[in-house]
Amino acid sequence: MNIILLSGGSGKRLWPLSNSIRSKQFVRLLNHNGKYESMLQRVYRQILKIDPSANVVVATGQSQVNIIRNQLGKDIPICIEPSRRDT
């Protein structure tokens, strides 16, 4: 399975927990066995639970690359959009 996981956004809808630095998909709000995870971490974990051999690529902006790598690991493939489109 090939999956593109969209992970962009400016973080305005969950303010003040999210902001321009940390968008809502990175906020650790979801409980999983006593440990809190972000929406990004949960979706990624669920994908790999269904198909451990899935090829997952995260599409995002340059400003969010480090937090994605911090949450999903250094080896996650990332596709960086060249500019914001606000779509």
Side-chain angles (χ1 to χ4, degrees):
M1 187 177 340
N2 296 312
I3 297 174
I4 299 173
L5 187 54
L6 305 177
S7 183
S10 58
K12 296 177 183 175
R13 292 191 184 112
L14 198 58
W15 184 89
L17 295 176
S18 64
N19 53 46
S20 61
I21 305 298
R22 184 183 62 218
S23 295
K24 64 184 172 293
Q25 68 268 25
F26 304 121
V27 179
R28 295 174 193 254
L29 292 174
L30 307 170
N31 191 334
H32 176 67
N33 297 329
K35 182 180 175 189
Y36 286 91
E37 63 187 357
S38 68
M39 287 186 274
L40 177 70
Q41 290 170 310
R42 175 161 292 182
V43 170
Y44 184 70
R45 178 178 54 77
Q46 290 172 333
I47 291 168
L48 294 182
K49 182 178 179 182
I50 291 169
D51 183 358
S53 65
N55 295 314
V56 181
V57 175
V58 180
T60 192
Q62 180 64 48
S63 64
Q64 297 178 342
V65 169
N66 287 336
I67 194 164
I68 290 170
R69 290 209 168 116
N70 285 336
Q71 289 196 359
L72 300 183
K74 304 276 185 219
D75 295 330
I76 186 79
I78 297 176
C79 178
I80 302 170
E81 62 184 358
S83 62
R84 287 187 69 156
R85 299 287 184 198
D86 291 327
T87 56

